[in-house]
Amino acid sequence: MPGLPHVAETLELYDTPASSTVSTVSRNGVASLYVCGITPYDATHLGHANTYVHFDLLVRYWLACGVDVQYVQNVTDIDDPLLERAQSTGADWQDLAESQTELFREDMTALSVIPPTHYLGAVEMIPAVVEDVERLHHLEIAYPVAADDAAGDDYYFDIAAAEQRTDWRLGSVGNYDRQTMEQLFPERGGDPQRAGKRDPLDPLLWRSARQGEPQWPGGRLGQGRPGWHIECSVIARRHLPAPFTVQGGGSDLRFPHHEFSAAHATAADGVALAERYMHTGMVGLDGEKMSKSRGNLVLVSQLRSDGVDPQAIRTLILTHHWRQDWPYTGQKLRESEQRLLRWKAAWQQAEDRQDDDAGADDLQYALISALANDLNAPAALTSLDLWASGHLAAGTSRTRVHHVVQALLGIDLSG
Ligand code: 5CA
Ligand code: ZN
């Protein structure tokens, strides 16, 4: 997609490790982004959609500046929760993963999310994971732990060894104190009680094959399957420069996932994983985080089949700042539907003036300024309201307005 005219890259983004907004620039005209993808069951709920729509704004901002974007996303197509869901419903785990990934991609297309440059499953990257875990073991930053119920050993990441030998420190990415991390670890897939670990927070790198579980060749590690954080760390580093520009995901990934993905990278390669870490807010329903494990879900596919315009879902999401937690309500969705209709009606009435483009220029400037300032989507939508109510500028080329709004916000005013 060609850039918009006269747009300079001046992006400020809130970075979790820095706990502040910092200037973020592409390198040699290339911006690189990794956003953690779905675990493919119960996709796509509004929480997922919230994360990918907000990162889509970042992609669109860069493209508007004429920057080349390398965007990688994974699909966690092998993990405990996926296997548990397949087992409890009697489905084949691969069929479940494939069908849910397909549905996710359809939902993203409907929401006008520009697809990643590379979309990769963890399963296809297992040989690269094995390589990295073997290397970490060789460097004595990984260690084996005997498993009662498996023929081979499991392998864990040694936090203390990594802290001694690398620049990474526990908490330096997710920005939590030890007490908070201890509380979050078991809630988010960690196993602090596992006997034989050196530190209760040491994360799993390689799980030795258990009977009845899917397994792959692990070289010197023996048959097994990867831990979660090493998957994303490897997928990102095999497809993006090091360090890449932004690592993204929901705020539930601050710890342990992004903390340890970054730690594994620094330990394996001696280079930081990413320059910035962005964490989107959580969408809730009825007072709780929307999540597959709680089952309190509003699915994009359900809303679509109920006849809701996907552009209204996108509008609803962009009504919120990317860092904001927010609760879903049907009322908010209806308000977003009305707001979208007002924009579309204004656009229908606009003329196609070639002589005076002040309106389109003003709108482009307002949208770019809002996005450059920590991707402030609510401010961008307010500018669109002002334009639609005729307050921004009178003379407007409708073709250009359509182009600018489509390019920057992914909203099609003509649809
Ligand atoms: N497969 C892993 C990442 S490697 C995973 O977290 N999958 S997920 O399906 O649980 O979530 C996919 C993405 O949506 C993640 O970035 C996650 O942080 C985000 N997410 C999950 N639930 C919500 C929610 N309620 N609100 C906002 N974002 C959410
Ligand atoms: Zn991930």
Side-chain angles (χ1 to χ4, degrees):
M1 198 187 297
L4 291 173
H6 317 302
V7 182
E9 190 190 355
T10 57
L11 182 60
E12 297 274 327
L13 289 175
Y14 187 91
D15 174 48
T16 302
S19 327
S20 64
T21 305
V22 283
S23 164
T24 302
V25 288
S26 58
R27 283 186 191 275
N28 304 319
V30 180
S32 37
L33 171 68
Y34 184 92
V35 180
C36 280
I38 55 160
T39 304
Y41 69 101
D42 283 347
T44 310
H45 64 63
L46 270 183
H48 301 142
N50 184 64
T51 292
Y52 302 112
V53 166
H54 281 297
F55 281 106
D56 187 56
L57 281 193
L58 176 59
V59 169
R60 287 173 184 276
Y61 174 83
W62 277 327
L63 292 174
C65 297
V67 169
D68 186 18
V69 180
Q70 291 182 18
Y71 177 9
V72 176
Q73 194 182 118
N74 69 303
V75 49
T76 309
D77 54 2
I78 178 71
D79 200 16
D80 292 341
L82 174 69
L83 296 176
E84 282 158 20
R85 171 57 64 91
Q87 199 169 28
S88 70
T89 56
D92 175 80
W93 66 272
Q94 281 156 309
D95 292 345
L96 177 63
E98 264 171 42
S99 63
Q100 291 291 298
T101 303
E102 191 47 42
L103 180 60
F104 169 72
R105 296 178 87 156
E106 279 171 23
D107 287 335
M108 290 300 110
T109 305
L111 292 173
S112 306
V113 170
I114 296 172
T117 336
H118 297 287
Y119 190 57
L120 294 136
V123 168
E124 57 191 298
M125 293 301 289
I126 290 177
V129 168
V130 170
E131 229 173 76
D132 269 36
V133 180
E134 285 180 338
R135 173 134 44 110
L136 292 173
H137 184 222
H138 176 74
L139 295 168
E140 298 181 355
I141 302 180
Y143 60 95
V145 172
D148 297 343
D149 52 347
D153 293 329
D154 296 329
Y155 282 78
Y156 281 84
F157 184 76
D158 189 329
I159 292 173
E163 288 194 317
Q164 263 172 19
R165 289 179 220 161
T166 74
D167 293 340
W168 171 83
R169 299 285 173 275
L170 182 65
S172 61
V173 170
N175 219 338
Y176 286 124
D177 58 25
R178 171 104 199 174
Q179 198 188 353
T180 308
M181 289 189 274
E182 281 175 0
Q183 190 196 320
L184 291 174
F185 193 60
E187 294 169 12
R188 295 180 178 170
D191 54 355
Q193 311 284 5
R194 173 68 191 272
K197 289 209 302 185
R198 295 177 185 168
D199 180 327
L201 295 184
D202 283 349
L204 179 73
L205 289 167
W206 184 255
R207 178 174 160 89
S208 182
R210 306 307 202 260
Q211 187 147 30
E213 285 187 9
Q215 48 181 276
W216 288 267
R220 289 198 294 282
L221 311 171
Q223 290 283 121
R225 62 184 166 96
W228 175 28
H229 323 304
I230 190 75
E231 288 174 358
C232 281
S233 184
V234 165
I235 294 172
R237 282 180 292 124
R238 295 295 195 280
H239 296 91
L240 292 172
F244 53 89
T245 316
V246 171
Q247 158 76 308
S251 60
D252 55 345
L253 300 184
R254 276 172 63 181
F255 184 82
H257 188 50
H258 286 177
E259 187 71 52
F260 289 130
S261 294
H264 299 340
T266 313
D269 293 347
V271 182
L273 182 69
E275 290 172 356
R276 305 279 178 258
Y277 294 83
M278 291 171 64
H279 294 109
T280 48
M282 290 290 113
V283 179
L285 185 68
D286 304 329
E288 297 219 66
K289 173 191 163 191
M290 194 177 285
S291 75
K292 295 176 287 206
S293 46
R294 286 194 184 88
N296 58 340
L297 305 177
V298 176
L299 298 179
V300 171
S301 50
Q302 184 62 50
L303 293 176
R304 284 168 56 210
S305 69
D306 291 346
V308 175
D309 181 350
Q311 297 269 303
I313 304 174
R314 193 171 166 107
T315 302
L316 167 67
I317 290 170
L318 297 180
T319 304
H320 305 90
H321 192 277
W322 64 275
R323 288 192 272 126
Q324 189 185 339
D325 295 336
W326 56 276
Y328 171 80
T329 62
Q331 175 64 21
K332 279 192 183 186
L333 177 61
R334 283 186 290 279
E335 284 165 13
S336 294
E337 288 178 309
Q338 293 307 315
R339 197 176 186 186
L340 178 66
L341 289 176
R342 282 198 299 276
W343 297 334
K344 287 185 174 180
W347 186 82
Q348 286 297 343
Q349 283 164 14
E351 295 169 33
D352 218 351
R353 297 174 57 144
Q354 302 300 327
D355 52 334
D356 180 3
D357 239 0
D361 281 345
D362 283 3
L363 183 61
Q364 174 177 314
Y365 180 78
L367 297 186
I368 282 284
S369 306
L371 293 182
N373 178 16
D374 197 25
L375 299 178
N376 192 341
L381 298 200
T382 302
S383 299
L384 201 47
D385 289 336
L386 289 174
W387 171 81
S389 60
H391 284 90
L392 205 59
T396 294
S397 157
R398 138 189 166 119
T399 310
R400 264 200 68 210
V401 165
H402 179 262
H403 179 57
V404 164
V405 172
Q406 174 97 59
L408 292 173
L409 300 179
I411 290 171
D412 179 2
L413 294 177
S414 68

